[in-house]
Amino acid sequence: MASSEEDGTVEEKENNNKKRTKSALVTAWLTFYNIAMTAGWLVLAITMMRFYIQRGTHKGLYRSIARTLKFFQTFALVEVRLTFVGIVKTSVIVNGVQVCSRIFMVWFVTNSIRQIQNEESVILFLVVWTVMEISRYSYYTFSLLHHLPYFIKWARYNFFIVLYPLGVAGELLTIYAALPFVRRSGMYSMRLPNKYNVSFDYYYCLIIVMLSYIPLFPQLYLHMLRQRRRVLHGEVIVEKDE
Amino acid sequence: MSRISVVFFEVEILDAKTKDKLCFLDKVEPNATIGEIKSMFHKSHPQWYPARQSIRLDPKGKSLKDEDVLQHLPVGTTATFYFRDLGAQISWVTVFLTEYTGPLVIYLMFYFRVPFIYASKYDFTTSKHWVVHLACMCHSFHYVKRLLETLFVHRFSHGTMPLRNIFKNCTYYWGFAAWMAYYINHPLYTPPIYGEQQIRLALIIFLFCQIGNFSIHIALRNLRPPGSKTRKIPYPTKNPFTWIFLLVSCPNYTYELGSWLGFTLMTQCLPVAFFTLVGFVQMTVWAKGKHRSYLKEFRDYPPLRSPILPFIL
């Protein structure tokens, strides 16, 4: 009896050690990830600024940063996995919706519809995304390193108040500008008759995406406001029970 | 004559979140059930009918069942219960009837090509493909069967569900029905590639699984005497369609999947395939849950059984 009890506690200690090394590894990996993402978005910001200073125009700016943008924005899919597994304590749905909408914009709107790449609305949301991501990832990085300067916390939880709506405006204006080109080219669409007996009209799909901002954006915005109150003012928020 | 003194209980009901005292009942019979206590609580708070009351011993604990008897609970003669409002409730029967009537009616609207769906020159015309007529019969039969089962066959263990579920469920059923029906009854519909052979095979699969599904529902009903909420392990009966119980815990879902696979094959329509896939995912989740609760409740549960697909899932 006694020996089995001892075995039990030894096993427990081993498990605890395993858990500690595992969580140290996870933290290290997370820190590396956040540093890399901060750096990536900083590179994007600097490239965009240099382009504008040198050329004096925003035309062609998207093309010049397209590949870097696609890389770093797509890499954010990793975060969805992290929230799902529970390593990062954000709601899976909130994070998932945000990442999906970003991926959608980058790959299915600006990437595929060449004609709208020089629109001002594109620059608008690019600037918004860059500022938000730099403040967000640097916030995560410094939090993980336990050395969080107040102004980074302040930036992360205050910039969004103005930037979120601006970003949404940029995205919606871009999709709206893309509509006539989509209709004319019939891209990503499938018509009847066909052997799968299905049809898909990308034009109407984009309209539905635009309409979906109406229910989704307020929820994300309010979620961030709640987070802000909690983090900056230490208010206890009672979440609605399911 | 000697008087037998009965020890009456006192029951106080507190709000689970705010701990406010909501109700105090004195002179409660020791053999009173939670259901009866709920009715008494309802009298003092008429907005909280019994179906939306969750009564528990611990604010964060599990809900007590209506059948639980007061004196058999771990409480003193002054019992403290915690109350949680489950929100507006609606009966399962109502939900099922609404969910299933929608697809039935909606599909027929597309089948008869009611105006404003397709181009006006097609209004009230019928398809020239006989498989479209067959599909309409199968789809309608399926939902009529479901409606009749809801009224006459199923025995529900829960009386009600939250009201918001009806919106969620109806959107799912009605939305998918409209999406499928639009393409199957479209003037530009393309019949299955392998023609009559494909349709015949699909029909056989569909009918086989419809009978199977019905047999399982009857078998499950016979497990439970009327008005009871007891649970027993289902076993194969004399009906060969129930022999699948040897390999599967929830063969009703297995047969349901089979029916929709048959319908997909019959119509060769991608939205139908999609509907089948989504339904399969949902039914697998339910089957796994049911299988797990069977295993928890019955020590001697047959080990050979899988939740929904024999040996696989």
Side-chain angles (χ1 to χ4, degrees):
Chain A
M1 281 303 168
S3 59
S4 65
E5 262 183 321
E6 267 176 0
D7 283 342
T9 48
V10 166
E11 229 184 85
E12 229 183 84
K13 272 208 192 113
E14 269 179 25
N15 275 338
N16 278 336
N17 276 331
K18 271 195 216 140
K19 273 190 212 151
R20 246 176 271 143
T21 38
K22 195 164 140 205
S23 83
L25 266 169
V26 168
T27 314
W29 200 96
L30 265 177
T31 316
F32 166 71
Y33 171 78
N34 284 304
I35 294 176
M37 295 302 269
T38 315
W41 285 93
L42 269 168
V43 163
L44 269 169
I46 293 169
T47 317
M48 296 200 318
M49 282 193 284
R50 276 181 61 204
F51 185 98
Y52 190 77
I53 292 170
Q54 283 175 353
R55 307 282 187 90
T57 173
H58 64 270
K59 303 219 186 289
L61 185 147
Y62 180 82
R63 292 255 83 199
S64 69
I65 54 123
R67 213 175 315 156
T68 320
L69 173 70
K70 276 189 267 187
F71 178 78
F72 282 101
Q73 188 58 80
T74 312
F75 210 71
L77 278 171
V78 168
E79 279 163 61
V80 184
R81 176 81 195 147
L82 294 177
T83 56
F84 184 75
V85 174
I87 294 179
V88 174
K89 302 277 186 290
T90 318
S91 150
V92 184
I93 301 178
V94 169
N95 187 257
V97 169
Q98 279 177 320
V99 173
C100 273
S101 81
R102 292 288 185 86
I103 303 271
F104 181 77
M105 279 304 299
V106 169
W107 286 100
F108 293 103
V109 182
T110 49
N111 182 54
S112 357
I113 310 168
R114 294 277 166 88
Q115 300 91 328
I116 48 109
Q117 284 173 1
N118 287 322
E119 291 280 325
E120 286 78 6
S121 49
V122 173
I123 307 303
L124 176 58
F125 75 72
L126 279 179
V127 168
V128 164
W129 288 7
T130 314
V131 174
M132 300 245 282
E133 296 302 70
I134 292 176
S135 54
R136 186 165 73 98
Y137 286 117
S138 54
Y139 172 84
Y140 290 147
T141 310
F142 285 112
S143 300
L144 285 164
L145 296 171
H146 300 294
H147 263 300
L148 182 65
Y150 184 72
F151 85 89
I152 297 223
K153 186 153 89 165
W154 188 93
R156 200 239 153 150
Y157 282 106
N158 279 300
F159 281 175
F160 79 89
I161 298 178
V162 172
L163 292 182
Y164 240 42
L166 280 180
V168 166
E171 292 170 31
L172 285 176
L173 285 168
T174 309
I175 301 178
Y176 186 72
L179 287 177
F181 300 108
V182 169
R183 179 151 242 179
R184 217 176 300 153
S185 70
M187 67 189 314
Y188 296 150
S189 302
M190 198 161 158
R191 289 171 133 217
L192 288 174
N194 61 73
K195 63 181 168 174
Y196 302 109
N197 288 308
V198 70
S199 67
F200 181 73
D201 196 329
Y202 193 49
Y203 179 82
Y204 290 111
C205 175
L206 284 177
I207 292 184
I208 293 175
V209 167
M210 286 174 72
L211 289 173
S212 73
Y213 274 73
I214 299 176
L216 290 176
F217 166 69
Q219 297 205 26
L220 291 177
Y221 196 63
L222 288 172
H223 173 86
M224 282 303 291
L225 282 174
R226 276 196 297 260
Q227 295 292 91
R228 176 177 179 275
R229 254 184 288 159
R230 190 172 57 88
V231 172
L232 291 184
H233 301 303
E235 262 186 53
V236 175
I237 310 291
V238 176
E239 290 286 327
K240 227 180 9 151
D241 285 296
E242 271 296 291
Chain B
M1 268 206 301
S2 61
R3 260 151 128 249
I4 307 165
S5 61
V6 181
V7 180
F8 282 112
F9 279 67
E10 295 178 327
V11 171
E12 61 168 6
I13 303 183
L14 310 178
D15 185 296
K17 270 186 266 184
T18 64
K19 312 288 191 300
D20 291 341
K21 209 198 288 213
L22 296 170
C23 175
F24 185 81
L25 306 160
D26 59 356
K27 291 228 167 171
V28 181
E29 302 258 333
N31 59 0
T33 61
I34 293 292
E36 286 163 8
I37 291 172
K38 281 185 183 175
S39 304
M40 291 189 258
F41 185 42
H42 174 48
K43 287 209 189 79
S44 60
H45 291 268
Q47 75 277 26
W48 288 325
Y49 42 87
R52 71 190 276 180
Q53 296 177 27
S54 164
I55 302 287
R56 17 169 107 180
L57 289 165
D58 182 80
K60 298 212 177 93
K62 258 180 65 184
S63 251
L64 292 169
K65 297 196 217 132
D66 280 5
E67 305 81 57
D68 290 339
V69 175
L70 183 57
Q71 63 182 354
H72 296 150
L73 293 169
V75 291
T77 46
T78 304
T80 305
F81 292 122
Y82 292 92
F83 160 77
R84 193 124 178 259
D85 183 12
L86 296 171
Q89 298 284 303
I90 187 165
S91 80
W92 273 67
V93 175
T94 312
V95 174
F96 273 31
L97 292 179
T98 324
E99 277 175 1
Y100 299 154
T101 310
L104 185 62
V105 170
I106 289 171
Y107 192 101
L108 288 172
M109 282 169 56
F110 284 89
Y111 175 75
F112 287 116
R113 294 191 182 151
V114 152
F116 301 109
I117 302 177
Y118 305 111
S120 53
K121 65 177 173 177
Y122 297 113
D123 288 350
F124 297 117
T125 56
T126 46
S127 174
K128 57 180 183 235
H129 306 289
W130 68 274
V131 68
V132 173
H133 307 297
L134 182 64
C136 181
M137 287 190 271
C138 289
H139 188 270
S140 307
F141 172 79
H142 179 76
Y143 281 102
V144 167
K145 169 180 157 291
R146 284 214 203 180
L147 285 167
L148 293 176
E149 282 172 343
T150 305
L151 290 170
F152 302 114
V153 177
H154 293 316
R155 292 223 172 97
F156 297 98
S157 48
H158 301 288
T160 67
M161 64 163 88
L163 183 64
R164 79 178 90 93
N165 277 16
I166 199 174
F167 301 109
K168 198 174 32 125
N169 292 7
C170 284
T171 309
Y172 172 78
Y173 278 103
W174 296 20
F176 261 116
W179 194 38
M180 294 192 289
Y182 175 79
Y183 290 108
I184 300 172
N185 299 295
H186 201 283
L188 296 176
Y189 171 76
T190 313
I193 310 179
Y194 296 107
E196 210 156 302
Q197 284 181 318
Q198 185 172 337
I199 300 170
R200 203 176 299 140
L201 174 64
L203 182 62
I204 293 171
I205 295 174
F206 178 81
L207 288 175
F208 183 88
C209 292
Q210 290 289 286
I211 300 173
N213 180 265
F214 182 70
S215 309
I216 301 299
H217 286 157
I218 294 287
L220 290 173
R221 170 198 170 84
N222 291 335
L223 274 185
R224 195 181 269 177
S228 92
K229 289 186 184 173
T230 51
R231 274 205 291 273
K232 295 203 286 216
I233 304 178
Y235 282 107
T237 66
K238 289 203 202 84
N239 183 342
F241 285 98
T242 63
W243 295 351
I244 191 176
F245 268 123
L246 291 167
L247 299 173
V248 167
S249 290
C250 302
N252 50 322
Y253 295 142
T254 319
Y255 280 123
E256 183 71 17
L257 172 67
S259 299
W260 286 107
L261 282 173
F263 194 68
T264 308
L265 194 64
M266 191 191 296
T267 56
Q268 199 171 293
C269 178
L270 198 59
V272 180
F274 204 69
F275 178 67
T276 309
L277 178 66
V278 175
F280 174 55
V281 168
Q282 175 67 87
M283 288 192 290
T284 305
V285 169
W286 288 337
K288 285 195 166 206
K290 192 98 215 222
H291 184 77
R292 221 176 297 135
S293 66
Y294 275 145
L295 288 172
K296 239 200 282 181
E297 195 168 339
F298 303 109
R299 294 274 143 213
D300 56 337
Y301 196 72
L304 193 60
R305 295 190 189 182
S306 316
I308 186 170
L309 294 178
F311 308 115
I312 309 173
L313 202 55

